Amino acid sequence: MEIKDGNLGRIVAIANQKGGVGKTTTAINLAASLALAEKDILIIDADPQGNSSSGLGIDRNNLKTTLYDVFVGRAGMEEVITGTEVEKLSIVPSSIDLLAVEVELVDRPEREAVLTEALRPIADRFEYIIVDCPPSLGLLTLNALVAANSVLVPVQCEYYALEGLGLLSRTINLVKDSYNPSLQIEGILLTMFDSRNSLSRQVAQEVKKHFGDVVYSTVIPRNVTLSEAPGFGKPVMLYDARSRGAQSYFQLAKEILSEGRTR
């Protein structure tokens, strides 16, 4: 059920069952950074909250089709792809209707592979396809993990970070065993890091101690500009390219591209 052809885009799920860890911020700003590096990028907004969509300036009230229509078979992925202000960055937008997907697909055979199949016709158009997962381990996240080559895990530098990582690691291993044996961790990204805070420093040390080279060298700081940019419907590099937040995501994109990050 995987998309393995070497000519197809690399599919990266951005996942963590905890909310508020920077999944959407990372999806938007990593995607925009890669697009500004002249890569063709697609974001799949798989979160019913639709924050990746609104954060890229998409008016969700005027959308005729969304990812929900793809999941229920009313539209193909090609029909739902929408351009953004960043030239090489496109998005498959989300809507609150996605909340109904678990119920709608309950009797569908291979319901965990709907996204995999939907991506096949368009995967060769993009170098990276980034899936912004909801903060849960339900059917939408399962579809993303089954379709993905790898998982990028944002981890907020706070007390329960390692506990959440342990649960997600078990889920990834279950998906590998049952559906997608080549799934791997793309990298663990430390977010909302405050160097003045001893807890932030301690969590960063613990995550690096447990996961070693899988942890990105780039660390995303706690930064007001990263919080402000979505309100203007822009990735942070279009809102304030000189900010620490923008520079950190440029650095992350550079790290991913330079290392090929196929862990």
Side-chain angles (χ1 to χ4, degrees):
M1 289 183 286
E2 305 160 77
I3 297 177
K4 292 182 178 178
D5 192 316
N7 295 320
L8 302 183
R10 180 164 182 80
I11 302 170
V12 180
I14 299 184
N16 191 325
Q17 74 279 2
K18 288 175 65 65
V21 299
K23 282 190 301 296
T24 296
T25 298
T26 296
I28 290 172
N29 293 303
L30 173 58
S33 297
L34 291 169
L36 290 169
E38 299 296 311
K39 307 297 179 184
D40 290 304
I41 308 297
L42 177 66
I43 292 183
I44 307 287
D45 188 352
D47 187 344
Q49 297 176 85
N51 291 334
S52 278
S53 304
S54 57
L56 285 171
I58 303 298
D59 182 358
R60 292 185 294 139
N61 295 318
N62 290 320
L63 291 170
K64 294 181 179 178
T65 54
T66 68
L67 183 61
Y68 171 77
D69 297 286
V70 175
F71 267 101
V72 300
R74 287 207 298 247
M77 195 69 80
E78 177 70 44
E79 301 167 65
V80 187
I81 294 173
T82 303
T84 73
E85 193 175 342
V86 181
E87 184 179 349
K88 286 183 169 287
L89 176 59
S90 301
I91 186 169
V92 172
S94 173
S95 70
I96 198 69
D97 293 338
L98 264 182
L99 284 171
V101 160
E102 305 236 1
V103 175
E104 301 244 10
L105 300 185
V106 67
D107 295 322
R108 181 163 171 171
E110 296 191 338
R111 62 184 182 273
E112 74 284 343
V114 175
L115 184 60
T116 304
E117 296 304 322
L119 285 171
R120 288 188 191 279
I122 57 93
D124 62 347
R125 288 177 44 186
F126 302 96
E127 290 173 73
Y128 286 88
I129 297 172
I130 295 173
V131 187
D132 183 16
C133 296
S136 69
L137 296 176
L139 186 59
L140 291 167
T141 298
L142 177 59
N143 263 266
L145 296 179
V146 171
N149 301 106
S150 58
V151 189
L152 190 158
V153 187
V155 176
Q156 184 181 357
C157 293
E158 51 105 57
Y159 187 73
Y160 291 109
L162 282 174
E163 184 179 296
L165 267 176
L167 178 56
L168 183 61
S169 295
R170 289 195 293 276
T171 300
I172 290 170
N173 287 330
L174 286 170
V175 172
K176 286 180 69 169
D177 291 343
S178 301
Y179 304 112
N180 186 355
S182 63
L183 182 66
Q184 54 191 314
I185 293 181
E186 179 82 10
I188 294 171
L189 177 66
L190 295 166
T191 64
M192 304 179 198
F193 179 78
D194 184 349
S195 60
R196 299 164 300 177
N197 184 310
S198 61
L199 179 59
S200 271
R201 296 195 303 272
Q202 182 181 345
V203 170
Q205 289 170 2
E206 286 294 308
V207 172
K208 289 174 181 176
K209 185 172 91 174
H210 280 80
F211 292 93
D213 288 345
V214 176
V215 183
Y216 288 108
S217 299
T218 304
V219 174
I220 308 301
R222 190 174 289 279
N223 179 252
V224 172
T225 313
L226 284 173
S227 303
E228 292 175 344
F232 293 85
K234 295 176 182 291
V236 69
M237 44 287 304
L238 295 190
Y239 178 65
D240 183 357
R242 293 171 297 179
S243 66
R244 289 175 64 224
Q247 292 301 313
S248 65
Y249 277 107
F250 280 134
Q251 184 59 39
L252 177 63
K254 183 178 178 182
E255 184 175 351
I256 288 171
L257 292 173
S258 66
E259 295 187 14
R261 284 314 256 219
T262 52
R263 295 182 181 282

